[in-house]
Amino acid sequence: MGLTKGGATWAPMFIQSLDQTTCIGCGRCFKVCSRDVFDLEEAEFEDDYGDDQVMMVMKIKDDSDCIGCQSCSKVCSKRCHTFAA
């Protein structure tokens, strides 16, 4: 438990998982994270026509470096991130 500058209590919530099936690989979470928690990787999926496709998606590179700020989830339009105390 911590305090904000204004004196409000604040509890960090640390990254637990990232749903690659909803991730669009935009890189917003990667760019906003100052702790090197994320990385891009190739992922294969099947499109609506049954064809195999490859796209870049985020993965958790080092969750032990997360400081619990949740900045990644605030910039994610697809709500891919899950957190735990």
Side-chain angles (χ1 to χ4, degrees):
M1 192 64 92
L3 294 176
T4 65
K5 182 178 180 180
T9 57
W10 175 75
M13 296 292 285
F14 302 101
I15 190 79
Q16 186 157 9
S17 64
L18 189 148
D19 186 356
Q20 289 187 329
T21 61
T22 57
C23 178
I24 59 173
C26 67
R28 290 179 187 159
C29 60
F30 178 81
K31 291 175 188 171
V32 76
C33 182
S34 64
R35 305 295 298 179
D36 202 26
V37 173
F38 301 101
D39 205 5
L40 277 171
E41 75 175 1
E42 287 185 354
E44 293 184 18
F45 70 98
E46 191 174 288
D47 65 15
D48 295 338
Y49 304 105
D51 298 324
D52 289 335
Q53 301 290 325
V54 176
M55 68 180 279
M56 299 300 284
V57 295
M58 281 296 143
K59 72 171 186 171
I60 297 175
K61 177 180 172 183
D62 185 5
D63 63 351
S64 66
D65 213 12
C66 178
I67 60 171
C69 68
Q70 299 179 41
S71 293
C72 53
S73 70
K74 293 173 183 162
V75 297
C76 182
S77 62
K78 299 298 181 179
R79 301 178 194 253
C80 299
H81 308 83
T82 305
F83 300 89

